[in-house]
Amino acid sequence: MDLGIKGRRAIVCAGSKGLGRGCAEALAEAGAEIVLNARGVDALAATANDIEARFGVTVIPVAADITTPEGRAAVLDAAGDVDILVNNAGGPPPGVWSDWTREDFIKALDANMLAPIAMMQACLPGMMARGWGRVVNITSQSVRAPIAQLGLSNSARAGLTGFVAGTARQVAHAGVCINNLLPGLHATDRADALDGAVVRAEGITLDEARARRFANIPVGRYGTRAEFGAMCAFLCSTHAGFIVGQNILLDGGATNITI
């Protein structure tokens, strides 16, 4: 399927690894030019070179912390006029509700709510003026079904979801569509870290830890970054102009909800 975005300019945040990289690869395959952001210089350069070589599109790497004003300014300056924005940032650490301080919540809100909102505020006016734009926010399955030990993430991402719900409906008339992708467990560094923690805590093998998690996912496996990226690219396509303000789960059926 031709997604109709060849030559469009896309910002992909936290795009050197994992789900962000999956989104960047899928957009590049569809012909979009990529402004690729991440904090790690070496991994970012390697990913940018690989995507550029494989798909023949321009990839501009910007090493910066997207959760800071300075980092966002660097990415936006490099991007210029933006047609597509993929917001992404690592989630806050797990913990216990009684241990979290005000500073912990502020840090989580800065990274997972206020940073993507700031990026949208910077990009939406230009998209609206040009009559076309797509925004995809990578949030979490915990938006639909909270995960107790991820209370910081639950709080920040729920706030972002509320902002998107109202904003998406205010900009849709100008040809701009904002939606959220809610990932479950995918085969990324995050899943490796979670499984590794179980191995160390319980003295079991990595295969045993993964088998336990797979048992709670109806498809019986982790998702892949390519699957995730394909959904992101579709939401960024010309075919997604009637999809507005939605929260789309990609979790293999793991979130046990009706609607």
Side-chain angles (χ1 to χ4, degrees):
M1 178 187 291
D2 182 358
L3 298 184
I5 55 174
K6 184 176 182 180
R8 295 285 190 182
R9 175 66 62 92
I11 291 175
V12 180
C13 302
S16 65
K17 300 178 181 179
L19 300 182
R21 177 169 182 164
C23 294
E25 289 172 334
L27 290 168
E29 186 175 13
E33 299 178 353
I34 310 295
V35 176
L36 193 67
N37 159 252
R39 289 179 295 179
V41 176
D42 293 340
L44 177 63
T47 298
N49 290 336
D50 178 65
I51 293 175
E52 200 167 59
R54 287 165 58 200
F55 301 111
V57 299
T58 299
V59 181
I60 302 172
V62 183
D65 184 350
I66 202 67
T67 69
T68 67
E70 297 79 12
R72 291 191 291 275
V75 172
L76 292 165
D77 286 346
D81 291 338
V82 177
D83 303 300
I84 295 167
L85 169 64
V86 179
N87 274 318
N88 185 30
V96 180
W97 63 270
S98 55
D99 294 336
W100 292 319
T101 65
R102 184 178 188 277
E103 288 70 28
D104 293 326
F105 279 102
I106 294 300
K107 186 175 181 180
L109 291 170
D110 273 339
N112 299 120
M113 175 182 167
L114 298 178
I117 288 175
M119 289 297 289
M120 284 186 274
Q121 288 177 321
C123 295
L124 288 174
M127 292 178 179
M128 294 176 72
R130 293 186 295 276
W132 197 93
R134 299 286 186 267
V135 178
V136 173
N137 300 293
I138 300 176
T139 62
S140 169
Q141 68 185 60
S142 66
V143 170
R144 300 292 301 277
I147 301 170
Q149 64 270 29
L150 298 182
L152 294 173
S153 177
N154 296 340
S155 302
R157 298 189 194 280
L160 175 62
T161 304
F163 175 85
V164 168
T167 304
R169 289 159 175 85
Q170 295 178 71
V171 302
H173 70 91
V176 179
C177 299
I178 310 175
N179 293 286
N180 303 322
L181 286 180
L182 285 55
L185 282 170
H186 286 68
T188 64
D189 289 347
R190 173 69 166 167
D192 289 343
L194 292 171
D195 290 336
V198 173
V199 168
R200 291 188 296 274
E202 301 187 22
I204 61 177
T205 68
L206 182 59
D207 287 342
E208 288 171 332
R210 287 181 174 163
R212 186 183 301 177
R213 288 194 190 276
F214 290 172
N216 294 315
I217 303 173
V219 300
R221 62 176 176 84
Y222 290 154
T224 69
R225 76 184 190 209
E227 290 172 318
F228 191 87
M231 176 58 78
C232 178
F234 179 78
L235 288 177
C236 295
S237 76
T238 58
H239 308 293
F242 208 59
I243 305 175
V244 173
Q246 299 303 301
N247 294 281
I248 300 173
L249 273 169
L250 291 92
D251 69 344
T255 307
N256 193 18
I257 56 177
T258 300
I259 299 176

